Amino acid sequence: MIRHSLVSTAIISALSSFSAHAAVVTGQVLDDKNQPISQADVHVHGKAQTIKTDNNGQFSINIDANSQLHISKDNYVDARIAVNEASPALHVTLIPTSVETVVVYASALHKNSLEMISPVSVLSGDELRNKAKPTLGETLKGLPGVNASYFGPVSSSPIIRGLDGPRVKITQNGLDSSDASRIGPDHATSNDSLAAEQIEVLRGPATLLYGSGAIGGVVNVVDNRIPTDNIEQLTGAVEYSHDTVSNANTYAAKLETGHNNFNFHFDGTKRTGDDYQTPRFNLPEEEHEDHEGHDEEEHETATSVKNTFIDSQTVNFGTSYVGDHLTLGVSYGRIETDYGIPAHSHEHGHDHEHEHAHEDGEEEAVYARVEQDRWQGLMSYALHNNWIETINLRLGYTDYRHAEIEDGAIGTIFSNETTEARFNVEHKLGNWHGMAGYHFSESNYDADGEEAFTPASKTTTNALFILEEQQFGDVTVELGARLEDYNIDSNVDASAHDHDHGHADEHADEHENEVTAYSKSFTNLSASAGAIWQYTPGQSVSLSVSHSERAPLSAELLSNGVHIATGTYELGLGYVIEDGEIHFEPENIKQETSTNIDFGFRRFSGDFGYTVNFFYNDIENFYYQQNTGLVFDEEHGLEAAEPGHDDGMAVYQFVSKDAKLYGIEFDAHYQLNANAMVKLFGDSTTAKLADDEGNLPRIPANKLGSELQYTISDWQFSLTGTHYFEQNDITAYETATDGYTLIDAQANYQLTVGPVDTQFYVNIDNITDELGFVHSSFIKDQAPLPGRNFRLGVRGYF
């Protein structure tokens, strides 16, 4: 009782210690030529209040004692000014920048993209709208250091510096997306890039806040579903677009309004599309044998990828109260999506307009039906006392269901019910500014049916984290740490099993006897240190070192079964194979431990700018799937693979070995004149096992690209060419992938019709109709990239 009383007293003292005094600060914002800057944002750090400068660059804003003003404007470097109630009228000069500056929400410390120590890429505004695709992977794959897993255009996840799956944390407003995309590449992410305000890709120290699943990076999708600024009038946007390559139609709408500190948000999207078209390509041999099982004399070809339709709709509602100190909000989102799963064992056509039925009685292709309900809550309280700035709490609950449907019946259901809470306190300790907090997550995963290759499991995470920064002249230092308790509970079937329930009944007693309860806890400790030196205005150099520990996901640890989508039999780390039999022996499971070094250069002033990052990642006990040399079939179980015989599925088992990943990513730009800019970008990643044991599988090919942007009057044009190099750094069970070049063009026209700002646009993707295969795809030979596509669209804002 005494301890609780002391804690309560401390909390009450902290909450009551902020100054109740208020003052008005006035000022003027100017550019480097001493000209006023209008419509610049002036924001009181830690509060929701934001105003804009008038035509003379002047502003007047209410503050508490010892506040900080954050002043920003597109194409200028942000300014941060310490003020108090005695501050005189301010004169703030903003330095022009040759690149767009964007506040990175996932940074936790309100930094913009140029102030970040960690490498970061941000898509926002018109650039995001022009590049947005139905999946995150396809939306982001043009960024330096980012590629896509590509299981067809409807299921494609980001790969960051050669790492994907459970090593890339995908979040929405800082909370986990909580879908099943980390379980397999055929499971689409549930994040909607079409409704996003911006998408952030982080690497390095800042990722520690998000847990051990961020060992490769974080992709944070930012939306305004819980408004954090007061909305004074009704605003909205509508969009329609049509893609010729898949006969796809996309509709999107957003509405926002507010009154007396209460704010409301709605957005919704609907997208329908058929199988996508490709340049003519040869189907893999196993897909075109004749009925007697003999290879045909000539390769069968195709000009489309079957079973790649999509029928998706999302709706999101949110509301908030934004006061001077307190912000409260809640949002609800619903996703309903049907999408085809290509190369999923069957080859028959698909007509989703007729409930996937076939009059000729043929088997139907397998498709996925995804349903998700997602609730989020936000509480933020700004204190502005001497050491506590804000207290923030984010809550999330997600109920996700992914059903794979074959012949009109559900074959397998994957579900994931997740509860998450993130509590943090932003503070000042002496000259240090930072954030400390607690993170809780509980995920109940279940799989039932023919492809339940991973058993049901409950994963619980409790973590404490801290991130601190201090400025020493032109150098800013950042330190971070996270201590995480990670626990997996499951009932494990220790025997080999197939996906045929008829056989399962025959051996029911045997399997029942081999089910054992399994529980395993890990303590993951991660730490980071970094610094950025602004050695001259508009130029900086950064260095960061991070050490991260990651425990295996249930799929990596406990998988045991046929995964039809990848055409393999998968085994987890917890199993051993002895004399053709599978035994569950989860002994000495060690955490995956990464030591990462990042070194970067940036220039963002003047007509010429660039960002260059070098990285080196030394990983102990790297988890990856290795070909065992065995095959599995329903009749004989496990047996050695024999050349020339395709019966059975190859058996891949998760193993842990030391690995090294290193490379470079860069983008540079040059402003040719007031109307034209040219960009150059690229990346290269090398990923090898230690001790010269070979390459890691499915590492993306290197890429090099260039973009020309031209603006004249109300027209905007761009031309982009990206070359993906040949990838021949492969494992024994991979094949090399030829290089290819994609050329894309875009034209936008701005038009104001009454109160509506309208934008008409035409995108031409893959102008030359190039045939390209994605090396990182599990089904690269069956699903090449789309052919030439015309995307026609119109957007309206009011």
Side-chain angles (χ1 to χ4, degrees):
M1 292 294 294
I2 294 176
R3 185 178 64 180
H4 290 169
S5 179
L6 290 174
V7 172
S8 300
T9 301
I11 293 174
I12 292 172
S13 298
L15 293 174
S16 61
S17 62
F18 67 88
S19 172
H21 301 292
V24 177
V25 171
T26 62
Q28 185 179 30
V29 182
L30 306 170
D31 63 17
D32 59 336
K33 296 180 178 60
N34 211 35
Q35 296 299 307
I37 299 177
S38 64
Q39 297 301 300
D41 289 323
V42 182
H43 175 76
V44 179
H45 178 66
K47 295 177 66 175
Q49 183 183 8
T50 300
I51 63 171
K52 291 185 180 294
T53 57
D54 62 19
N55 291 335
N56 296 317
Q58 296 179 339
F59 66 89
S60 176
I61 191 168
N62 294 320
I63 66 160
D64 295 315
N66 301 321
S67 297
Q68 183 188 75
L69 295 185
H70 180 198
I71 303 170
S72 60
K73 173 72 173 177
D74 289 347
N75 302 317
Y76 291 88
V77 179
D78 293 14
R80 299 179 186 273
I81 310 294
V83 294
N84 56 46
E85 61 267 36
S87 294
L90 301 174
H91 292 277
V92 182
T93 300
L94 297 185
I95 301 173
T97 175
S98 53
V99 295
E100 183 180 8
T101 60
V102 181
V103 173
V104 181
Y105 292 91
S107 71
L109 297 179
H110 316 284
K111 291 188 172 184
N112 67 47
S113 51
L114 301 182
E115 299 171 321
M116 292 284 292
I117 294 174
S118 305
V120 61
S121 302
V122 181
L123 279 181
S124 63
D126 285 339
E127 184 182 14
L128 171 58
R129 297 182 186 97
N130 293 335
K131 295 181 178 180
K133 299 291 194 298
T135 65
L136 277 181
E138 294 305 289
T139 299
L140 300 174
K141 70 177 185 180
L143 296 175
V146 183
N147 288 276
S149 60
Y150 200 75
F151 208 91
V154 294
S155 180
S156 181
S157 296
I159 299 174
I160 300 177
R161 295 176 171 178
L163 299 176
D164 64 345
R167 297 179 184 88
V168 173
K169 191 81 165 180
I170 299 178
T171 63
Q172 181 183 10
N173 301 319
L175 296 180
D176 197 299
S177 59
S178 303
D179 50 37
S181 62
R182 309 300 87 189
I183 300 298
D186 56 316
H187 294 217
T189 61
S190 59
N191 300 87
D192 181 13
S193 60
L194 295 173
E197 300 286 332
Q198 68 185 50
I199 303 177
E200 307 162 347
V201 181
L202 283 77
R203 307 85 154 169
T207 64
L208 292 180
L209 299 178
Y210 297 94
S212 58
I215 199 169
V218 172
V219 176
N220 185 41
V221 179
V222 180
D223 56 51
N224 199 39
R225 291 169 188 172
I226 300 180
T228 53
D229 284 326
N230 280 318
I231 303 170
E232 302 298 336
Q233 59 185 357
L234 177 66
T235 63
V238 293
E239 179 175 2
Y240 166 76
S241 65
H242 177 78
D243 290 82
T244 61
V245 76
S246 59
N247 192 33
N249 294 293
T250 302
Y251 309 84
K254 180 176 75 172
L255 290 173
E256 292 183 335
T257 189
H259 182 67
N260 288 343
N261 300 105
F262 287 93
N263 309 282
F264 305 92
H265 170 96
F266 163 80
D267 71 75
T269 61
K270 180 172 177 59
R271 186 173 193 272
T272 60
D274 301 325
D275 296 347
Y276 73 91
Q277 305 299 306
T278 70
R280 186 171 297 278
F281 69 101
N282 292 329
L283 291 170
E285 292 185 4
E286 61 269 18
E287 293 198 2
H288 56 78
E289 293 181 347
D290 62 23
H291 294 295
E292 296 181 358
H294 301 293
D295 290 345
E296 297 176 358
E297 293 183 0
E298 296 183 359
H299 276 288
E300 185 178 345
T301 63
T303 57
S304 68
V305 177
K306 295 181 179 179
N307 199 29
T308 53
F309 79 93
I310 186 171
D311 187 348
S312 175
Q313 44 272 330
T314 67
V315 292
N316 296 280
F317 301 91
T319 185
S320 67
Y321 169 82
V322 179
D324 287 340
H325 292 275
L326 178 66
T327 299
L328 291 172
V330 64
S331 70
Y332 167 74
R334 172 72 177 175
I335 298 173
E336 295 180 358
T337 300
D338 289 0
Y339 68 90
I341 304 176
H344 204 298
S345 166
H346 301 285
E347 297 181 37
H348 302 292
H350 220 305
D351 184 0
H352 64 281
E353 295 294 332
H354 298 283
E355 296 297 322
H356 317 288
H358 291 269
E359 296 180 1
D360 55 8
E362 288 184 337
E363 283 188 291
E364 299 178 50
V366 178
Y367 70 96
R369 173 162 292 166
V370 173
E371 298 175 345
Q372 177 179 282
D373 294 291
R374 183 178 180 89
W375 291 89
Q376 284 193 351
L378 168 67
M379 186 281 289
S380 179
Y381 192 82
L383 280 80
H384 289 293
N385 71 353
N386 292 329
W387 59 285
I388 295 181
E389 292 183 325
T390 59
I391 298 174
N392 300 288
L393 175 65
R394 280 195 177 271
L395 301 171
Y397 171 77
T398 304
D399 188 0
Y400 171 90
R401 185 176 182 268
H402 172 114
E404 297 194 354
I405 300 174
E406 181 178 351
D407 296 332
I410 295 176
T412 308
I413 296 178
F414 301 90
S415 62
N416 192 18
E417 187 175 347
T418 302
T419 303
E420 186 174 9
R422 181 180 293 276
F423 173 81
N424 59 63
V425 177
E426 189 173 348
H427 58 262
K428 290 182 179 178
L429 298 174
N431 294 323
W432 290 89
H433 173 224
M435 178 173 290
Y438 165 72
H439 182 205
F440 168 80
S441 176
E442 182 180 271
S443 176
N444 285 284
Y445 166 80
D446 194 12
D448 182 34
E450 296 178 353
E451 291 190 53
F453 59 94
T454 301
S457 62
K458 182 173 79 169
T459 303
T460 306
T461 301
N462 291 275
L464 298 173
F465 59 85
I466 187 169
L467 186 68
E468 302 288 335
E469 70 169 9
Q470 183 175 347
Q471 190 166 345
F472 301 89
D474 296 327
V475 177
T476 302
V477 174
E478 185 176 277
L479 303 175
R482 180 183 173 100
L483 180 64
E484 178 180 275
D485 177 70
Y486 181 93
N487 187 79
I488 297 179
D489 292 291
S490 181
N491 290 319
V492 180
D493 186 349
S495 63
H497 57 88
D498 57 53
H499 64 286
D500 188 333
H501 292 291
H503 294 287
D505 293 337
E506 182 180 341
H507 303 288
D509 294 337
E510 177 185 350
H511 285 181
E512 185 177 352
N513 293 334
E514 296 185 6
V515 172
T516 58
Y518 175 76
S519 181
K520 179 67 175 178
S521 293
F522 299 86
T523 299
N524 301 316
L525 176 62
S526 301
S528 67
I532 185 169
W533 175 30
Q534 303 279 352
Y535 60 89
T536 191
Q539 298 186 57
S540 65
V541 59
S542 63
L543 174 66
S544 63
V545 180
S546 60
H547 171 88
S548 303
E549 295 180 346
R550 183 177 79 87
L553 293 184
S554 60
E556 296 170 308
L557 182 61
L558 305 175
S559 290
N560 181 13
V562 171
H563 190 180
I564 295 180
T566 59
T568 61
Y569 189 100
E570 296 190 5
L571 271 181
L573 290 161
Y575 292 88
V576 296
I577 302 173
E578 295 179 354
D579 299 326
E581 294 185 354
I582 295 173
H583 303 279
F584 184 61
E585 298 179 9
E587 307 296 335
N588 300 318
I589 303 296
K590 297 180 180 180
Q591 288 128 305
E592 186 177 271
T593 304
S594 168
T595 301
N596 186 78
I597 300 174
D598 259 291
F599 189 45
F601 299 88
R602 301 175 199 167
R603 175 189 171 101
F604 46 85
S605 62
D607 293 332
F608 175 62
Y610 56 79
T611 299
V612 182
N613 297 315
F614 300 90
F615 66 91
Y616 180 83
N617 201 350
D618 190 338
I619 305 179
E620 296 181 5
N621 305 314
F622 183 85
Y623 309 142
Y624 74 102
Q625 288 179 302
Q626 185 179 68
N627 193 327
T628 62
L630 302 174
V631 297
F632 173 86
D633 67 41
E634 299 171 1
E635 183 177 355
H636 301 101
L638 297 181
E639 58 184 9
E642 297 182 11
H645 293 275
D646 295 331
D647 295 336
M649 292 187 172
V651 178
Y652 283 78
Q653 182 169 21
F654 281 96
V655 296
S656 61
K657 293 184 179 181
D658 295 347
K660 300 180 187 299
L661 295 89
Y662 53 90
I664 182 176
E665 58 199 22
F666 69 91
D667 64 87
H669 60 272
Y670 181 69
Q671 190 78 39
L672 299 173
N673 53 48
N675 302 101
M677 175 184 285
V678 63
K679 294 184 177 182
L680 184 69
F681 58 89
D683 58 55
S684 172
T685 299
T686 300
K688 295 180 177 295
L689 293 170
D691 302 323
D692 296 324
E693 289 193 37
N695 302 299
L696 289 176
R698 287 180 296 278
I699 297 301
N702 300 335
K703 69 172 181 278
L704 179 64
S706 181
E707 181 179 357
L708 174 64
Q709 298 178 353
Y710 188 78
T711 303
I712 180 171
S713 185
D714 294 323
W715 288 91
Q716 294 178 330
F717 302 93
S718 69
L719 180 67
T720 306
T722 308
H723 179 71
Y724 292 84
F725 291 87
E726 179 186 10
Q727 178 58 291
N728 51 22
D729 292 334
I730 58 177
T731 62
Y733 52 90
E734 289 183 284
T735 58
T737 304
D738 293 336
Y740 55 93
T741 301
L742 300 179
I743 300 177
D744 307 321
Q746 184 176 57
N748 289 14
Y749 178 68
Q750 302 280 350
L751 175 67
T752 299
V753 181
V756 180
D757 292 330
T758 306
Q759 184 181 83
F760 298 93
Y761 61 91
V762 178
N763 292 7
I764 310 176
D765 302 322
N766 193 4
I767 293 175
T768 61
D769 205 30
E770 179 91 347
L771 178 62
F773 296 91
V774 181
H775 184 77
S776 52
S777 173
F778 276 84
I779 57 170
K780 70 169 186 176
D781 294 328
Q782 297 130 300
L785 289 168
R788 184 185 300 111
N789 176 46
F790 291 86
R791 184 184 183 194
L792 312 173
V794 58
R795 303 186 186 104
Y797 306 92
F798 58 90

